[in-house]
Amino acid sequence: MTALGRPAGGPETVPASQQGMRRQNLAAVLGAVAAHGPLSRADVAGHTGLTRPAVSSLVDELIGRAALTETETAPSGRVGRPGRALDLDDRGPAGLGLEIGVTHLAACVVDLRGEPRVWRRVERANAGRPAARVLEEAAALGADAESEAAALGLRVEGRVLAVPGVVPNDPGGLVAHAPNLGWRAVRPADHWPDPATVPEPENEANLGALAEQRHLGHPAETFVHVSAEAGIGAALVIDGRLFRGARGFAGELGHLPVHPEGAPCPCGARGCLEQYAGEAAVLREAGLAGAHDPVAVLAERAGAGDAATLRALDRAGRALGLALVPAVDLIDPDGLVLGGAYAELADWLLPPVRAELAARVTVRPWTPEAVRPSALGRRGPVLGAAWSTVQRIIADPARLPFRRAV
């Protein structure tokens, strides 16, 4: 599986040839340093089970590919040469995350340590605009971010694009439907100016979940990550792996009916969650339609005690809680995470969400604290996009070009 959870070729499926084994061993060495570094070469051998001569050869190759760096450690007071430690190179390969939101474009470059080194965000009203134009602007923002990263000594080796839409298990990078952008059957590669820098598209909720997983540091956790901008999406992480469904359509929480005979939805159904807990619905209920930064305005008005805003958020929270009940009963998660705009409105959404779950989850133990806001807020999808590229590099460093003599 790739870092995004799709079946694919790669180091896990390479035949057990000498070349394939070396590829796997390179990944094992780099993974050990990423997880436990800084490490000595002897420590790497201990973590991987490889012989010291094998580790030495693999380390030299990873240094040549600019994935690792080796430095002298502080003197220990012992007689003899100072020790040397291996660590990830923070002036080497990097990952670029891009995001196309309904009201913004964003870019982020992270180094091999996963540290964000470049941030870019511009406000754009992308809904209803030609996909080709939006993608051209996203490409320009990404190119600017890559140039800034290059000035820091970083080389972008992978790119992922977060989009608020359905991205099926399609090797051609199809965005099947992004209703809040007005997209249907769009392939970013068809409109990207530079074929060498085309990113892989992925659903923004899925990427938000991957970012949350990395931030938490619990790779085996099972949780549901819910995020909202104009629409509502969910991602399922089961035993540490993103669950995409048979065709990649898992997580369409926004179109789960919470009132079967309720308001009509543009999707063709009635009573969908988005008609009660989506951004447009909350703004309409609060009398704030047309606000420039809806989330900030809602938070400001709710914090000031505005009655209409508080009623709108309570209504949204109850609808969201109702939609999450079947997720809890079906998946039995460790927790539920409110990401994206919901994270920034959590002070007002959490009480009604928790109340609905407490009243309706009756066949298993459940505590209110199992629902919590993401610490990443609206940055989650673009961070997840960038981090997922770094995960791929660490999982298969043999694809990196040589940059140094060894």
Side-chain angles (χ1 to χ4, degrees):
M1 303 288 280
T2 70
L4 298 182
R6 295 191 180 91
E12 295 181 4
T13 56
V14 171
S17 62
Q18 184 175 356
Q19 181 181 3
M21 287 298 296
R22 185 170 183 84
R23 190 173 193 132
Q24 291 179 0
N25 290 339
L26 281 169
V29 169
L30 187 59
V33 177
H36 307 290
L39 297 175
S40 69
R41 296 191 182 211
D43 290 335
V44 172
H47 280 287
T48 61
L50 297 168
T51 65
R52 291 195 184 188
V55 165
S56 183
S57 173
L58 294 164
V59 164
D60 287 344
E61 181 172 338
L62 290 168
I63 291 173
R65 295 181 188 272
L68 290 181
T69 184
E70 190 170 30
T71 58
E72 289 189 356
T73 59
S76 63
R78 298 176 182 175
V79 176
R81 292 187 304 172
R84 297 181 69 80
L86 297 162
D87 207 348
L88 298 173
D89 195 332
D90 60 5
R91 288 178 58 84
L96 171 66
L98 295 163
E99 182 184 11
I100 295 175
V102 174
T103 60
H104 71 278
L105 300 171
C108 175
V109 177
V110 300
D111 60 25
L112 278 188
R113 302 174 194 267
E115 293 297 325
R117 304 286 293 277
V118 177
W119 284 99
R120 294 289 180 96
R121 181 184 170 101
V122 294
E123 301 305 313
R124 288 284 189 279
N126 294 318
R129 297 175 63 212
R133 181 60 179 158
V134 175
L135 288 161
E136 287 172 2
E137 292 181 2
L141 187 68
D144 288 345
E146 290 198 36
S147 294
E148 186 176 343
L152 299 174
L154 297 166
R155 299 183 321 279
V156 169
E157 298 286 357
R159 303 160 184 85
V160 170
L161 172 67
V163 292
V166 177
V167 182
N169 297 333
D170 183 303
L174 174 71
V175 180
H177 192 204
N180 293 306
L181 291 175
W183 292 10
R184 188 177 288 277
V186 172
R187 292 187 190 276
D190 293 342
H191 308 287
W192 208 259
D194 182 0
T197 64
V198 176
E200 178 181 347
E202 176 58 284
N203 173 265
E204 54 88 21
N206 287 345
L207 291 168
L210 291 176
E212 187 69 19
Q213 184 183 34
R214 185 188 185 281
H215 177 73
L216 290 172
H218 300 302
E221 188 174 19
T222 294
F223 65 95
V224 179
H225 181 273
V226 184
S227 65
E229 193 186 34
I232 301 172
L236 314 178
V237 176
I238 300 175
D239 292 334
R241 297 183 72 86
L242 181 66
F243 177 76
R244 298 179 53 82
R247 299 172 183 83
F249 287 75
E252 284 299 299
L253 186 72
H255 296 288
L256 189 151
V258 291
H259 299 293
E261 303 303 321
C265 180
C267 76
R270 301 187 70 89
C272 294
L273 177 63
E274 283 188 7
Q275 301 309 304
Y276 300 90
E279 182 180 282
V282 176
L283 290 171
R284 185 170 58 248
E285 183 79 6
L288 295 171
H292 174 64
D293 185 345
V295 177
V297 172
L298 284 168
E300 181 182 356
R301 295 282 292 270
D306 179 72
T309 302
L310 293 173
R311 282 196 304 270
L313 290 171
D314 181 77
R315 177 177 182 256
R318 292 190 177 278
L320 181 58
L322 187 62
L324 288 171
V325 170
V328 172
D329 286 339
L330 284 171
I331 301 166
D332 188 25
D334 298 307
L336 304 172
V337 180
L338 302 187
Y342 283 158
E344 299 184 26
L345 298 170
D347 286 349
W348 304 280
L349 290 173
L350 279 176
V353 169
R354 287 171 170 169
E356 286 293 330
L357 287 162
R360 298 175 186 275
V361 177
T362 59
V363 297
R364 55 152 282 171
W366 185 257
T367 61
E369 292 73 24
V371 190
R372 56 178 177 75
S374 168
L376 302 175
R378 286 185 276 179
R379 300 178 301 155
V382 72
L383 276 171
W387 282 337
S388 67
T389 64
V390 168
Q391 288 176 339
R392 291 181 177 187
I393 293 169
I394 291 172
D396 188 17
R399 69 191 186 100
L400 295 171
F402 281 93
R403 299 288 180 177
R404 300 174 183 144
V406 292

